[in-house]
Amino acid sequence: MRFDTPATTNPIDQLKVVGKPTDRIDGPLKTTGTAPYAYEWHDVVPNQAYGYVVGSAIAKGRIASIDLTDAKAVPGVLAIVTAENAGKLGKGDWNTAKLLGGPDIQHYHQAVALVVAETFEQARAAAQSLRVDYIRAHGAFDLASAKDSAVVPEATPATAVGDFAGAFASAPVQLDATYTTPDQGHAMMEPHASIAAWDGDKLTLWTSNQMIAWSTGDMAKTLGIPKENIRLISPFIGGGFGGKLFVRSDAVLAALGARAARRPVKVALARPFMFNNTTHRPATIQRIRIGATPDGKITAIGHESWSGDLPGGGPENAVQQTSLLYAGANRMTATRLAVLDLPEGNAMRAPGEAPGLMALEIAMDEMAEKLDIDPIEFRILNDTQVDPSNPGRRFSQRQLVECLRIGAERFGWKTRDVQTGGTKTGRIREGRWLIGVGVAAGFRNNLLTRSAARVRLDRPGIVTVETDMTDIGTGSYTIIAQTAAEMMGVPLDKVVVRLGDSSFPVSAGSGGQWGANNSTSGVYAACVKLREAVTQKLGFNTAEAVFEDGNVRLGNRSISLAEAAGEAGLVAEDAIEYGDLAKQYQQSTFAAHFVEVSVDAATGEIRVRRILAVCAAGRILNPKSARSQVIGAMTMGVGAALMEELAVDKRRGFFVNHDLAGYEVPVHADIPHQEVIFLDETDPISSPMKAKGVGELGLCGVGAAIANAIYNATGVRVRDYPITLDKLLPGLPEI
Amino acid sequence: MRSFTYERASSPAEAAAAARAEGAKFIAGGTNLLDLMKLEIETPTHLIDVNGLALDKIETTTEGGLRIGALVRNTDLAADERVRRDYGLLSRALLAGASGQLRNKATTAGNLLQRTRCPYFYDTNQPCNKRQPGSGCAAIGGFSRQHAVIGASEGCIATHPSDMAVAMRALDATVETVRPDGTARSIPIAEFHRLPGDTPHVENVLVPGELITAVTLPRPVGGTHIYHKVRDRASYAFALVSVGAIVQRDGTGHIALGGVAHKPWRVEAAEIEMPRGARAVTVHLLADARPTNENAFKLPLVERTLAAVLAEARS
């Protein structure tokens, strides 16, 4: 189905099933431990052996020699895979460094060997007795030092509109500030894990992966076999956040290990290994310049961001929202990329916008203070309903102002004591706590991508949906079931959803908050085709037939879907394919985040007391699972603001705090009452579902809202994340 | 993990005698040792399980104090009515540490013997004098935000991670042991933990095989008991700095610090200054402190936390 004109009324608009806060249909499996995760497919193939990955002990250099003698002597060892004996391997499109390193070492904990043994304990013990001699080479590990050597990457060219330099120089009110965000780890609950089994030259891989088709292709490229020979199965995923968009070492090494040991092999990455072996969100240094008239109109806005990656890698595009979020006739953005020999950077939830808004939305707060304008009013003054670089191009929907106004009302913003600027920070005190509130805008683009599904109607009247879409904890199963139920006029319990299998039609997958809208639109397309198949079989006029209550009805004639399916059943497959509506209209999602914090006046300990997100993101397909996505994202925003940082050892070139004791993410005690409001919105330009993404929007802007609240509480402006108490201490009141 | 042999001990003396063997270690809750064994940071060849030794009672001593069996679990100790009433500092310190699940397993003696959480100690690719004597210290000049600001050496800047031990230090606890030759001894907590010096791998004064049987507390001293643990997240994190304090009505009392040194940090002479306030105490408490660039904030943080604690005690 081609989608190239805005949606009109369609069966989804009935909202009998879609739009309801339905419980997750996979919930009982999850809560009873019967949804198998990647490492838990114990029974799918017999005789599974265990693989344990050995990581490089150096950040850069090469392997002089590997002595396998001791490791081979460990009881139970079946095979040891290294670059030397693995045969020729290709590189996938989506990984920067090799997933099996050697002799050259590109980063710390790059996999250099897999030991396969009868038991996990034997494999681990043998892995620990592998003797690898390295020759260390000098590397670049410090972004600040490498900054001056950074270049503008081809993938993200600089943008310029009007005369930024001139307009900024002549602006009556100016802000020129630099912000930093650290490297961050995904820290999902389920580690990367895979079970590989060969049948001749055909490979089956049970794994934990967000993008089935990408990863099937990259496995094929890496192993040098046709992708038709690979079946990838990933129906349940214990969190990904972008860390499982791609094939990683567990998958490649499980396949190589299984080939070497001639039996199925399972591999999970150990937690302390994950932070340096896999990908992370790269650190940024961001310079923001804003010029405005005294009455608060932005005349110039510029955003530059520096990040680093291994040679061949890409930048963290922290400036992309700045092209679109606020008005202003003169503008520029630029990313610059330095070579760093740290583990490779890549996407983590809301790549680009998440760190970009952490900086931009502090800058907006600082500018509002300089202008002596309320920060909400300042944002509203500079709202734009068109792409500021191309005023003929409107936003398909843009309710940022409504998010801000409704949020202000609901949060009680007017009681804030800082309306007139910085002199009134640090004014509210409850016992030992300094109290402050902060606001930030949230923004994340809505991405459209082809998504296919197959829908089958069977004799018992069951609708079965098959698509390689994944559910990474987001609720894909449920919204897909709701979509199919709405389209076919059946109750939810008559729908079976099967996901995450490369033998199913290729979907959008889970990433970039594109999964919900695109995958359900693909299911919509397949259901439209299935409805046609049903009506054609019955000789009904498709346009006039009504699907409801398990029947298809035309005038007085009503036939059950079960009967319509007949013994053979009916199958339809289709994909949603987008025209150029995304070119004609800018499609984005918007939010306003409000936060109240308390800061211990003595110790600087920061606690979030209240947090509210107001989101405008098209039709909300399931308010319950969408709310879960947003509160999870807000929690991640608290982590980003207050504690998450991969600490770089700049001499040895690795992330030092590489376990969950060292890399702190919020615990329950850090998270207060969270409130989420979804504006009632439909966006017919986005898709027939009239929905957009929301799972990343919930993160975008949260960190800055917290930073602004801390400033409001204490008068200390921290531009260097995470905002830990040591950065506040010098500015706190005398005790 | 290396292979090891395993036995269950049937008496403290027998356990101590068996532990004299090279490579032998006691295991009780296992909340620290097992993790370290999996990473091959600890590589015992023989484990002596002491869980069956009936050292899990909390008894009143003839002096009016408490005798806490070595195997009393952290959860049980924190919840004990006498502890909560007379040694509130201890109960609060215990509850500030780890998680409910870990406290259910962790024992009183094991808590005192926890190893540092220095990330370089945990990464076997990195030099660490504590893990591999003579290999060097990667934390010096590295990521040292959590590390010691006082009492450290050229060879080690690790901290002791325990909250409970800080309370024990302020409460003047005594560690009761039995040695491999069967003789018992009492070690004041002040003398139990060592500073790193040239031998950071030697963390306490126990001789090989020596088994902790109990920790005794003197009779209650009254006063207000406060444990203030400062950390980046609200729970389940090690202290940046912690202050354990017992403050009497006249402003005198005891103060011990966590998160600043290789052992719970207490300077009795500094306590004389308590009626004069946090600054006066801190000057003495942290005299000769030598922080790194990354953890120099701990010095003002100690003073400010102490000020908050003293203010709370007054109110």
Side-chain angles (χ1 to χ4, degrees):
Chain A
M1 173 184 288
R2 201 165 161 75
F3 184 76
D4 48 14
T5 54
T8 52
T9 302
N10 68 42
I12 297 297
D13 295 321
Q14 300 173 94
L15 298 180
K16 288 180 181 170
V17 195
V18 169
K20 297 279 187 283
T22 309
D23 286 349
R24 281 161 198 263
I25 61 170
D26 51 328
L29 291 178
K30 299 273 175 74
T31 52
T32 57
T34 47
Y37 288 90
Y39 202 70
E40 300 175 328
W41 297 95
H42 306 303
D43 304 323
V44 288
V45 278
N47 208 24
Q48 297 176 10
Y50 293 80
Y52 197 91
V53 185
V54 179
S56 168
I58 64 166
K60 188 173 166 69
R62 63 187 178 85
I63 296 172
S65 64
I66 303 186
D67 184 353
L68 307 180
T69 319
D70 290 352
K72 277 184 173 165
V74 172
V77 170
L78 301 167
I80 301 175
V81 177
T82 67
E84 229 174 315
N85 65 24
K88 186 172 159 28
L89 295 177
K91 191 186 81 61
D93 292 338
W94 296 101
N95 55 294
T96 304
K98 288 180 180 178
L99 297 174
L100 175 59
D104 292 331
I105 296 298
Q106 296 165 285
H107 64 87
Y108 191 70
H109 275 174
Q110 184 175 27
V112 297
L114 179 84
V115 179
V116 181
E118 292 284 353
T119 70
F120 171 78
E121 289 77 13
Q122 288 168 334
R124 182 176 58 190
Q128 287 164 331
S129 55
L130 205 69
R131 299 287 160 250
V132 187
D133 282 330
Y134 297 95
I135 297 167
R136 252 177 229 273
H138 179 73
F141 307 120
D142 179 20
L143 176 60
S145 313
K147 181 172 173 264
D148 289 343
S149 66
V151 297
V152 177
E154 264 178 48
T156 53
T159 68
V161 177
D163 171 20
F164 170 77
F168 179 72
S170 61
V173 184
Q174 298 173 339
L175 173 82
D176 182 349
T178 298
Y179 307 85
T180 63
T181 63
D183 296 288
Q184 294 177 338
H186 304 85
M188 71 296 274
M189 285 286 282
E190 182 202 22
H192 297 75
S194 296
I195 301 175
W198 290 90
D199 180 8
D201 57 2
K202 293 199 177 349
L203 172 69
T204 305
L205 192 73
W206 291 264
T207 188
S208 183
N209 191 288
Q210 300 174 224
M211 298 295 296
I212 302 300
W214 290 4
S215 296
T216 308
D218 264 8
M219 278 301 286
K221 274 198 170 173
T222 307
L223 298 174
I225 62 175
K227 68 179 178 191
E228 294 71 30
N229 285 2
I230 298 174
R231 183 163 170 212
L232 208 136
I233 299 172
S234 182
F236 299 106
I237 297 158
F241 309 120
K244 293 173 179 167
L245 288 167
F246 323 115
V247 164
R248 298 300 311 169
S249 61
D250 58 301
V252 170
L253 289 171
L256 294 173
R259 189 147 73 186
R262 300 179 184 284
R263 55 191 270 197
V265 168
K266 57 166 63 175
V267 176
L269 302 188
R271 182 68 65 179
F273 185 63
M274 288 169 60
F275 292 88
N276 286 284
N277 178 255
T278 70
T279 59
H280 66 277
R281 188 201 301 282
T284 65
I285 298 170
Q286 301 178 46
R287 182 187 186 195
I288 295 177
R289 284 173 287 174
I290 304 175
T293 57
D295 60 354
K297 282 282 183 191
I298 294 175
T299 53
I301 184 163
H303 192 164
E304 296 160 273
S305 175
W306 289 259
S307 61
D309 204 355
L310 289 167
E316 178 70 23
N317 191 359
V319 303
Q320 59 190 354
Q321 72 289 322
T322 307
S323 298
L324 293 163
L325 189 48
Y326 297 112
N330 303 286
R331 25 201 334 126
M332 64 83 68
T333 67
T335 56
R336 293 189 189 83
L337 179 63
V339 170
L340 288 182
D341 298 298
L342 291 170
E344 70 188 74
N346 213 312
M348 180 169 141
R349 200 175 197 173
E353 279 99 332
L357 285 163
M358 286 167 75
L360 178 63
E361 288 298 291
I362 296 183
M364 289 297 285
D365 202 63
E366 296 200 61
M367 196 63 186
E369 187 185 359
K370 278 177 183 276
L371 290 160
D372 199 10
I373 297 177
D374 177 85
I376 292 177
E377 294 307 321
F378 179 50
R379 288 175 171 90
I380 291 171
L381 259 175
N382 291 287
D383 187 51
T384 173
Q385 292 293 317
V386 298
D387 175 349
S389 308
N390 183 3
R393 185 166 170 264
R394 295 187 63 78
F395 282 91
S396 62
Q397 292 273 355
R398 178 171 164 127
Q399 295 201 71
L400 175 60
V401 170
E402 290 77 4
C403 290
L404 287 162
R405 290 218 190 280
I406 289 168
E409 179 69 28
R410 184 67 79 95
F411 193 75
W413 182 257
K414 282 183 183 160
T415 61
R416 180 177 132 127
D417 192 32
V418 293
Q419 311 296 352
T420 52
T423 54
K424 291 199 175 175
T425 58
R427 288 272 298 258
I428 303 176
R429 193 162 174 157
E430 288 177 15
R432 64 181 225 249
W433 297 100
L434 304 169
I435 311 298
V437 294
V439 65
F443 174 95
R444 175 75 173 145
N445 278 332
N446 182 53
L447 303 172
L448 300 177
T449 176
R450 184 184 193 278
S451 193
R454 182 160 59 225
V455 191
R456 180 179 295 113
L457 178 63
D458 289 332
R459 185 73 179 103
I462 299 290
V463 177
T464 301
V465 184
E466 291 176 336
T467 165
D468 83 353
M469 179 60 191
T470 49
D471 188 327
I472 60 174
T474 44
S476 308
Y477 278 104
T478 310
I479 56 172
I480 284 173
Q482 287 174 278
T483 303
E486 193 79 76
M487 289 299 292
M488 300 312 297
V490 298
L492 210 53
D493 63 6
K494 296 287 187 197
V495 181
V496 173
V497 181
R498 301 175 66 199
L499 301 181
D501 187 323
S502 62
S503 68
F504 298 156
V506 174
S507 73
S510 297
Q513 77 170 14
W514 63 59
N517 179 44
N518 292 296
S519 72
T520 54
S521 294
V523 173
Y524 170 94
C527 286
V528 166
K529 228 177 194 179
L530 183 60
R531 286 165 64 114
E532 286 167 6
V534 170
T535 51
Q536 276 170 20
K537 185 175 174 188
L538 299 176
F540 285 12
N541 180 321
T542 305
E544 289 169 20
V546 176
F547 287 72
E548 64 181 13
D549 303 330
N551 301 311
V552 54
R553 185 165 48 77
L554 185 71
N556 294 332
R557 286 183 64 198
S558 179
I559 295 170
S560 76
L561 285 178
E563 195 184 332
E567 285 306 324
L570 288 168
V571 184
E573 181 173 334
D574 201 0
I576 191 80
E577 294 183 74
Y578 297 94
D580 66 354
L581 286 174
K583 286 206 180 78
Q584 292 179 41
Y585 297 88
Q586 176 58 38
Q587 299 192 22
S588 307
T589 62
F590 298 89
H593 294 285
F594 294 81
V595 174
E596 179 179 314
V597 301
S598 54
V599 179
D600 189 313
T603 64
E605 288 165 283
I606 304 156
R607 300 290 176 251
V608 176
R609 307 215 312 180
R610 284 196 293 148
I611 185 163
L612 163 69
V614 185
C615 303
R619 171 175 281 153
I620 299 302
L621 301 173
N622 180 330
K624 192 171 194 175
S625 56
R627 179 179 182 276
S628 292
Q629 278 297 292
V630 175
I631 64 173
M634 291 155 89
T635 303
M636 212 166 198
V638 173
L642 299 182
M643 61 192 82
E644 291 187 47
E645 174 175 22
L646 287 167
V648 179
D649 188 311
K650 292 166 188 166
R651 308 157 306 167
R652 296 169 181 273
F654 74 112
F655 301 130
V656 182
N657 51 339
H658 54 71
D659 59 28
L660 290 179
Y663 185 81
E664 292 182 9
V665 296
V667 294
H668 283 93
D670 291 297
I671 301 302
H673 181 68
Q674 297 174 290
E675 203 177 335
V676 181
I677 297 170
F678 294 112
L679 297 193
D680 191 10
E681 178 178 297
T682 52
D683 191 339
I685 292 167
S686 171
S687 76
M689 300 302 292
K690 304 173 186 172
K692 294 176 181 172
V694 74
E696 298 188 333
L697 177 66
L699 168 59
C700 296
V702 175
I706 294 169
N708 296 339
I710 292 168
Y711 175 70
N712 182 229
T714 62
V716 183
R717 182 66 81 181
V718 180
R719 300 183 184 84
D720 172 32
Y721 290 99
I723 304 171
T724 45
L725 60 89
D726 45 303
K727 297 169 188 172
L728 298 182
L729 285 177
L732 291 180
E734 284 289 315
I735 42 158
Chain B
M1 186 185 275
R2 306 270 178 88
S3 296
F4 57 91
T5 51
Y6 170 88
E7 71 171 290
R8 285 199 181 93
S10 55
S11 76
E14 183 196 297
R20 193 159 33 185
E22 180 79 22
K25 268 202 174 288
F26 301 117
I27 186 163
T31 55
N32 194 200
L33 181 61
L34 290 179
D35 285 349
L36 295 170
M37 287 170 67
K38 289 173 190 170
L39 295 165
E40 295 201 354
I41 295 162
E42 294 270 15
T43 54
T45 52
H46 184 61
L47 284 187
I48 300 153
D49 185 338
V50 296
N51 283 299
L53 295 186
L55 300 172
D56 55 356
K57 306 280 187 302
I58 305 172
E59 298 157 318
T60 308
T61 64
T62 49
E63 292 80 25
L66 280 186
R67 185 174 190 278
I68 302 157
L71 293 169
V72 172
R73 308 287 155 171
N74 287 177
T75 297
D76 298 330
L77 184 57
D80 185 88
E81 193 189 328
R82 293 159 292 182
V83 173
R84 291 175 59 187
R85 185 185 61 223
D86 298 330
Y87 307 95
L89 174 59
L90 177 58
S91 185
R92 284 168 200 142
L94 282 161
L95 294 176
S99 66
Q101 293 91 330
L102 286 165
R103 293 193 297 267
N104 288 342
K105 290 293 286 179
T107 63
T108 305
N111 192 313
L112 291 176
L113 299 175
Q114 277 184 81
R115 314 251 7 229
T116 184
R117 301 291 166 158
C118 172
Y120 296 97
F121 172 72
Y122 267 80
D123 188 332
T124 51
N125 291 325
Q126 306 304 328
C128 171
N129 288 322
K130 192 179 271 299
R131 175 167 31 77
Q132 199 180 344
S135 62
C137 173
I140 295 174
F143 173 56
S144 59
R145 184 167 181 267
Q146 290 275 350
H147 288 71
V149 294
I150 193 160
S153 72
E154 297 299 312
C156 181
I157 58 171
T159 55
H160 196 274
S162 170
D163 294 296
M164 185 198 81
V166 175
M168 293 293 195
R169 181 71 179 87
L171 288 164
D172 288 316
T174 302
V175 181
E176 311 287 343
T177 71
V178 56
R179 281 174 284 198
D181 63 5
T183 59
R185 67 164 168 161
S186 300
I187 308 165
I189 187 80
E191 294 164 22
F192 183 80
H193 291 108
R194 295 167 46 117
L195 289 176
D198 296 334
T199 54
H201 58 293
V202 184
E203 293 169 351
N204 54 59
V205 299
L206 296 176
V207 300
E210 187 168 7
L211 176 72
I212 298 174
T213 52
V215 177
T216 55
L217 295 174
R219 48 180 304 132
V221 295
T224 301
H225 289 217
I226 298 171
Y227 189 72
H228 193 139
K229 181 177 184 179
V230 182
R231 41 189 161 176
D232 292 321
R233 70 175 168 194
S235 179
Y236 203 47
F238 296 98
L240 293 169
V241 155
S242 68
V243 173
I246 302 166
V247 186
Q248 305 294 349
R249 279 178 177 279
D250 63 1
T252 64
H254 297 175
I255 289 163
L257 304 178
V260 299
H262 199 253
K263 62 180 192 178
W265 193 255
R266 181 175 170 195
V267 178
E268 277 82 348
E271 292 165 1
I272 298 161
E273 305 289 339
M274 279 177 68
R276 294 181 50 214
R279 177 150 302 169
V281 177
T282 308
V283 164
H284 288 83
L285 199 50
L286 296 181
D288 303 323
R290 287 176 58 197
T292 69
N293 287 338
E294 291 188 355
N295 67 19
F297 73 92
K298 288 189 177 186
L299 305 186
L301 182 59
V302 164
E303 183 186 326
R304 297 181 72 98
T305 309
L306 182 55
V309 165
L310 296 179
E312 186 184 337
R314 281 193 301 271
S315 66

